[in-house]
Amino acid sequence: MVAKINIEIAYAYPDHFYLKSFKVEEGTMIQHAILQSGILAQFTEIDLRENKVGIFSRPAKLTDLLQEGDRIEIYRPLLADPKEIRRKRALEQQQKQKEQENIKRADKKLEKDLQRKSLKKELNND
């Protein structure tokens, strides 16, 4: 008789996740466990040729063997390139800094103009 091991399978969306615990035979490959779980019928967008998988956040292959307590994670494709997001965020931050510098310059100019007007008024009153 082949021993059974406890595993979990997880698939996450930005706002919710699916997590299922079940038993498989010891020596089961990740791909077979995914097929046995029924998750592919529930989430038809999962394509094991495209979606990456992992065990506890560590990349894994579909042919890797499972061990007691493993959590298979099926990862969704990235919607945006992380490098591009960082570049965009850095550019936005630079623009904000320039805007703040322009506001400071305008405030200083306004302050100087007000001081000049105040001095002219004082001189005219004397």
Side-chain angles (χ1 to χ4, degrees):
M1 185 171 148
V2 178
K4 297 268 187 173
I5 58 173
N6 296 300
I7 64 162
E8 294 180 322
I9 189 161
Y11 183 64
Y13 289 96
D15 57 345
H16 66 283
F17 67 94
Y18 168 88
L19 182 65
K20 179 179 182 177
S21 298
F22 62 105
K23 292 180 184 280
V24 294
E25 290 183 357
E26 193 171 25
T28 298
M29 288 189 291
I30 290 175
Q31 181 175 1
H32 293 142
I34 291 171
L35 294 171
Q36 290 174 29
S37 73
I39 193 171
L40 298 179
Q42 190 169 353
F43 299 98
T44 56
E45 72 272 14
I46 297 174
D47 181 350
L48 293 180
R49 293 170 297 201
E50 299 292 323
N51 294 79
K52 303 273 187 218
V53 297
I55 302 291
F56 291 114
S57 301
R58 291 194 177 110
K61 296 178 187 144
L62 292 172
T63 56
D64 289 351
L65 300 180
L66 293 164
Q67 297 177 14
E68 173 67 32
D70 278 350
R71 181 183 67 221
I72 301 168
E73 298 164 345
I74 302 173
Y75 306 119
R76 291 178 298 107
L78 295 175
L79 297 177
D81 180 11
K83 288 180 183 178
E84 187 59 36
I85 291 171
R86 283 192 293 272
R87 270 189 225 111
K88 187 176 179 180
R89 199 177 302 141
L91 183 61
E92 288 172 357
Q93 196 171 25
Q94 286 175 348
Q95 288 173 339
K96 281 183 183 179
Q97 286 176 340
K98 285 181 183 178
E99 287 173 9
Q100 288 174 349
E101 288 170 7
N102 289 339
I103 290 170
K104 284 181 184 178
R105 277 191 217 109
D107 284 348
K108 285 182 181 179
K109 185 178 183 311
L110 181 62
E111 191 176 318
K112 285 181 182 179
D113 288 347
L114 288 173
Q115 286 175 350
R116 284 185 196 130
K117 285 182 183 178
S118 177
L119 281 173
K120 281 183 183 179
K121 213 177 204 184
E122 283 180 31
L123 289 173
N124 288 337
N125 288 339
D126 285 344

